[in-house]
C-alpha cells in the first residue's frame, strides 16, 4: 500500500526511533541506522519486523545478511558507536512530544495509533492528499 | 468617591495589563527562554510533521525516509522494532 503512494509521488515516509522496550529495542534501532548507512534501512526495517526479537548482536548480524547488506561493513558501523546518541535523541524528542507507544503514525499531522488495516492508512493518505491539492 | 476609586482602578488595570503582557511573551518558562522546548522540538523535528531531525547537528542525524522530498503527504512512523 505504502509503495503505491510512494511510487506515484504522493507519499513520503519517515521513520522515527521510539525504542521504549529496553536494550533490545535500542540495539535494533542502532542496527537499523547502521543499515541506513548502506542505503538499506527499509529492507532491514522489514526484516526486523518480520523476525521480531530478541535483538542481540548475533541476531542483528544475521538479519543484516538476510536484508542483503555487506555484513562486515554493517558490523563495523553497528559497533562504531555513531548511532546511539542519535537514537537516544530522537527517542527523547518522541517522549517530550508525548508519543504514547508504538507504532504511532502521523499522516500530515493526523495521528493514527497502533497497527491498523490497510484501508485505514489508505483513506488517511488520500484524505491528506485531497486536502493538500485543494489548498 | 470617584477620587477613591480612581487609584484602585488604575492599579487594577495596571496589574491586568502586566499579566496580559507576561502571558503574551510566554512567561518565564515559555518558548522565548533558554529551554525553548517548543521551538527546539520544531527545529529538531516536529513529532507529527515532515520536519525531520536533519538539524540535530549530529552526524547521521537524518531520519530514514522513503519517497520524494516534495511529496504532498508525509507519514511519520514512530516505531520500536520489538
Amino acid at each position: 500500500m505504502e509503495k503505491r503512494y510512494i511510487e506515484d509521488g504522493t507519499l513520503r515516509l519517515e521513520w522515527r526511533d521510539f525504542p521504549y522496550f529496553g536494550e533490545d529495542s535500542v540495539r535494533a534501532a542502532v542496527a537499523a541506522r547502521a543499515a541506513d548507512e548502506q542505503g538499506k534501512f527499509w529492507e532491514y526495517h522489514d526484516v526486523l519486523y518480520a523476525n521480531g526479537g530478541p535483538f542481540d548482536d548475533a541476531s542483528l548480524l544475521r538479519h543484516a545478511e538476510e536484508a542483503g547488506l555487506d555484513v562486515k561493513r554493517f558490523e563495523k558501523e553497528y559497533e562504531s558507536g555513531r548511532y546511539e546518541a542519535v537514537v537516544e535523541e530522537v527517542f527523547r524528542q518522541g517522549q517530550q512530544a508525548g508519543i504514547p507507544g508504538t507504532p504511532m503514525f502521523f499522516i500530515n499531522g493526523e495521528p493514527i495509533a497502533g497497527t491498523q488495516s490497510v484501508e485505514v492508512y489508505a483513506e488517511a493518505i488520500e484524505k491528506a492528499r485531497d486536502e493538500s491539492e485543494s489548498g | 468617591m470617584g477620587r477613591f476609586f480612581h487609584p484602585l482602578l488604575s492599579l487594577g488595570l495596571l496589574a491586568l495589563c502586566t499579566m496580559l503582557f507576561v502571558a503574551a511573551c510566554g512567561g518565564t518558562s515559555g518558548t522565548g527562554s533558554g529551554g525553548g522546548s517548543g521551538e527546539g522540538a520544531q527545529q529538531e523535528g516536529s513529532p507529527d510533521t515532515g520536519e525531520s531531525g536533519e538539524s540535530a547537528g549530529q552526524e547521521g542525524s537524518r531520519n530514514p525516509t522513503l519517497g520524494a522530498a516534495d511529496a504532498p503527504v508525509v507519514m511519520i512512523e514512530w516505531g520500536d522494532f520489538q
Side-chain angles (χ1 to χ4, degrees), chain A residues 9-16 18-21 24-25 33 36 41-42 45 49 55 82 89-90 92-94 97 102-109 129 132, chain B residues 37 41 44-53 56 58-82:
Chain A
T10 297
L11 179 69
R12 177 165 63 94
L13 180 60
E14 178 175 325
W15 170 266
R16 303 272 178 97
F18 201 78
Y20 73 124
F21 278 119
D24 266 22
S25 295
R33 293 267 175 177
D36 190 37
F41 170 86
W42 296 103
H45 162 284
Y49 270 121
F55 292 128
R82 290 175 58 196
E89 175 60 20
V90 175
R92 185 191 64 78
Q93 291 172 14
T102 60
M104 185 72 195
F105 300 91
F106 292 91
I107 296 177
N108 276 17
R129 180 190 58 198
S132 70
Chain B
S37 61
E44 293 170 351
S46 174
D48 57 356
T49 70
E51 297 169 20
S52 69
Q58 292 174 309
E59 188 179 2
S61 61
R62 179 187 63 86
N63 287 318
T65 62
L66 189 63
D70 62 349
V73 181
V74 177
M75 182 172 179
I76 306 292
E77 178 185 358
W78 289 90
D80 184 324
F81 291 109
Q82 290 257 63

Side-chain angles (χ1 to χ4, degrees), chain A residues 4-63:
Chain A
R4 167 161 57 107
Y5 293 111
I6 288 170
E7 286 172 3
D8 74 8
T10 297
L11 179 69
R12 177 165 63 94
L13 180 60
E14 178 175 325
W15 170 266
R16 303 272 178 97
D17 297 304
F18 201 78
Y20 73 124
F21 278 119
E23 291 184 7
D24 266 22
S25 295
V26 175
R27 272 195 291 272
V30 168
R33 293 267 175 177
D36 190 37
E37 196 273 336
Q38 295 185 40
K40 286 193 175 285
F41 170 86
W42 296 103
E43 290 87 344
Y44 196 70
H45 162 284
D46 292 348
V47 167
L48 291 184
Y49 270 121
N51 286 277
F55 292 128
D56 53 32
D57 292 345
S59 62
L60 291 169
L61 284 175
R62 282 198 307 276
H63 297 327

Side-chain angles (χ1 to χ4, degrees), chain A residues 49-90:
Chain A
Y49 270 121
N51 286 277
F55 292 128
D56 53 32
D57 292 345
S59 62
L60 291 169
L61 284 175
R62 282 198 307 276
H63 297 327
E65 187 174 12
E66 185 181 343
L69 273 75
D70 177 333
V71 177
K72 284 191 177 171
R73 185 177 160 194
F74 166 84
E75 187 175 16
K76 184 180 173 187
E77 285 295 323
Y78 174 63
E79 294 176 350
S80 69
R82 290 175 58 196
Y83 304 105
E84 279 81 356
V86 173
V87 167
E88 284 176 16
E89 175 60 20
V90 175

Side-chain angles (χ1 to χ4, degrees), chain A residues 108-121:
Chain A
N108 276 17
E110 289 298 314
I112 298 178
T115 303
Q116 305 291 335
S117 67
V118 170
E119 289 76 23
V120 169
Y121 298 119

